[in-house]
Structures are given as C-alpha cells and as structure tokens.
Amino acid sequence: AVTALPGAIATGKVLQVVQGSTSTQVAVTAGNSADTGLTAAITPSATSSKILVICTHGLFTKTAATTYCSLSLLRGSTGIYTIGNAFYSTSDGELRLPTVGISYLDSPSSTSSVTYKTNIACPAGSSGTIYSQYQNQPSVIQLIEIGA
C-alpha cells in the first residue's frame, strides 16, 4: 500500500469553495436556448490553480412529442463543456424528471474573478418545452479551487 508520495509529486490542496444555487424556473422551446440562472464566481489565488466545477440540474418535460436538449457549462460567455443529449424524452407522453450532472476540471489561468454558468438549448428538431428548476426545484453549482 502507498502510504506517502515522493517529494517530486505535487499534491493538490483545496484552497476555496464557492457554491451557488437557483430555484427560478426557466423554460426552453425548440430552436431556442437560455441561461438557466445557475451561476457562481470565484477568484483563483494563482494562475496555476485549477477549478473543479460540479453542477446538478433537474430537468423536466411532459410531452407527447420527442423532446431533447443540451446542457452547457460556460466560463464567462465561452462554452467549455457540453452534454449533447443531456435530456431526451420519447413521444410516449410520460413524465420525465431526470437529474443531470456536470463535473469538469477547468484551468482558467487567471487571478481575476471567473464566472461559471449553465445554458440549456433545444435544437430546432425538438418538440415541446424543457424546464430547468421545474416548479422551483433547486439546481446547484460548486466551484472548488485546487492549488498546485
């Protein structure tokens, strides 16, 4: 069993944790996208720091048509990670209420405030409406700065 790491191997340390949440319902229809309202900002201590972003979203639809969407993580206005089929519902009209998570290790290379947010998009071929934070169920984002 490994009981210690050699001195030459750098180990990460958690330097700070920031959490954000929202419970404001957002609706998106086919051919549209919208920010979900889930956002948080962190100011890294060093340009070498990494930020572990963890998000949990509840998505909802009940429709008699095929409905699907993507969920994206953005740093500022730049997309850095996308789940292409974050949500997919067939045409059976059954209630769908999945929880979708994102876990992403980012290297912003900055000591200025960095804002992360999520966006949901339904392509033109989708039907129906997809909701984030349906009936005010919360979504959560956590930003964890990891030092070198």
Side-chain angles (χ1 to χ4, degrees), residues 36 40 46-47 57 64 94 100 107-108 112 134 138:
T36 65
T47 56
H57 271 281
E94 289 296 313
V100 179
S107 300
S112 298
Y134 182 70

Side-chain angles (χ1 to χ4, degrees), residues 9-106:
I9 298 177
T11 57
K13 295 182 174 136
V14 172
L15 302 178
Q16 63 176 312
V17 177
V18 174
Q19 179 169 299
S21 65
T22 185
S23 57
T24 302
Q25 181 174 292
V26 174
V28 179
T29 57
N32 294 294
S33 68
D35 288 345
T36 65
L38 185 61
T39 184
I42 192 168
T43 303
S45 305
T47 56
S48 59
S49 292
K50 302 212 181 285
I51 307 297
L52 178 60
V53 184
I54 302 170
C55 303
T56 305
H57 271 281
L59 301 176
F60 169 86
T61 193
K62 183 176 182 182
T63 182
T66 301
T67 306
Y68 52 101
C69 73
S70 62
L71 180 66
S72 296
L73 174 65
L74 292 86
R75 182 192 330 114
S77 60
T78 303
I80 57 174
Y81 184 79
T82 297
I83 300 174
N85 282 319
F87 183 90
Y88 185 86
S89 175
T90 59
S91 58
D92 60 11
E94 289 296 313
L95 176 71
R96 302 283 192 253
L97 186 59
T99 299
V100 179
I102 292 176
S103 180
Y104 183 80
L105 187 61
D106 189 32

